Amino acid sequence: MSASVPEIHLHRGDLPDGLTFGESVAVDTETMGLLPVRDRLCLVQLSAGDGTAHLVQFEKDQYAAPNLRALLADPAVTKIFQYARFDLAMIRRFLGVDCRPVYCTKVASKLVRTFTDRHGLKDLCHDLLGVEISKQQQTSDWGAPELKPEQLRYAASDVLYLHQLRQKLDALLAREGRAELAAGCFAFLPYRAHLDLLGWSDEAVLSH
Ligand code: MN
């Protein structure tokens, strides 16, 4: 585990031309709140898992972002999230992208770490990587035109470890024979996010 200082690039409105992330990209969003139908998208963070984070900051109603949309819609690039359900709804609503294929570290953790109910990013980083991350800036104002250095560091930390977590979780999924089950759950997540945006909460369409 490298303790080196992460490299953080802040972009306004879209990714620059020609930037690529390889076959999988870690993705997170920061928003004005936790309701995808109410709150607006402020920031999308991305990392190739190489210690570098690219942050795309959005002004209200300025979501054209052709480069970012193309990346998120690229079927050859797996998008790794922690709690994909929320981010996928935000991405669908504001960027108009049906984002897939998807990997969710929280879903993977729930499928293999059945001995605990600690599946938050902070818990996964601690338990699986021995890395301590701070969640202190989680509730700060992400709509501010100038984000503070501590907000940028926090936003970056939400994507910097997802590749390493995926590697650890994939090993556990293989060990427990649940990789196929996980793949099925991941494939459903874009539909789950769409249902959220249309007003079907939780198990509404699956329950008796
Ligand atoms: Mn975040």
Side-chain angles (χ1 to χ4, degrees):
M1 185 60 238
S2 161
S4 60
V5 179
E7 202 178 307
I8 302 174
H9 301 277
L10 179 63
H11 311 286
R12 309 270 178 182
D14 197 6
L15 289 170
D17 291 341
L19 188 62
T20 56
F21 291 84
E23 62 189 24
S24 63
V25 61
V27 186
D28 186 38
T29 66
E30 300 303 332
T31 65
M32 286 304 292
L34 294 177
L35 295 183
V37 296
R38 179 192 68 188
D39 298 315
R40 81 172 177 93
L41 176 66
C42 300
L43 195 71
V44 173
Q45 307 101 281
L46 307 125
S47 177
D50 56 0
T52 298
H54 290 272
L55 317 184
V56 180
Q57 188 181 12
F58 295 102
E59 282 177 45
K60 198 171 177 301
D61 303 323
Q62 305 285 315
Y63 296 98
N67 292 336
L68 178 60
R69 283 176 192 237
L71 172 69
L72 294 174
D74 188 342
V77 180
T78 299
K79 274 65 73 170
I80 311 171
F81 297 89
Q82 161 72 6
Y83 196 54
R85 178 175 169 180
F86 176 79
D87 301 302
L88 289 173
M90 277 292 175
I91 287 168
R92 172 181 271 274
R93 180 177 161 212
F94 286 91
L95 298 172
V97 171
D98 194 10
C99 180
R100 66 183 81 214
V102 165
Y103 187 104
C104 179
T105 49
K106 176 168 263 188
V107 168
S109 177
K110 286 187 173 183
L111 286 172
V112 288
R113 296 176 7 104
T114 44
F115 49 82
T116 180
D117 58 2
R118 291 161 47 94
H119 305 288
L121 183 63
K122 191 177 166 60
D123 301 318
L124 296 184
C125 283
H126 172 85
D127 292 359
L128 297 174
L129 306 177
V131 169
E132 303 304 326
I133 62 163
S134 166
K135 279 300 201 179
Q136 223 173 5
Q137 293 297 319
Q138 189 163 33
T139 52
S140 61
D141 179 8
W142 293 101
E146 297 296 330
L147 296 173
K148 290 178 263 173
E150 54 269 34
Q151 284 180 299
L152 300 181
R153 278 196 300 275
Y154 164 78
S157 73
D158 273 356
V159 288
L160 288 172
Y161 303 105
L162 296 184
H163 283 79
Q164 292 172 61
L165 289 176
R166 179 190 182 176
Q167 210 174 6
K168 297 280 185 187
L169 289 162
D170 275 348
L172 292 171
L173 285 166
R175 190 188 83 188
E176 298 302 321
R178 291 182 185 156
E180 194 193 338
L181 198 54
C185 293
F186 299 155
F188 178 64
L189 284 169
Y191 299 100
R192 181 56 270 182
H194 197 181
L195 288 166
D196 282 330
L197 287 176
L198 293 174
W200 279 284
S201 62
D202 292 316
E203 283 69 44
V205 294
L206 298 176
S207 59
H208 191 304

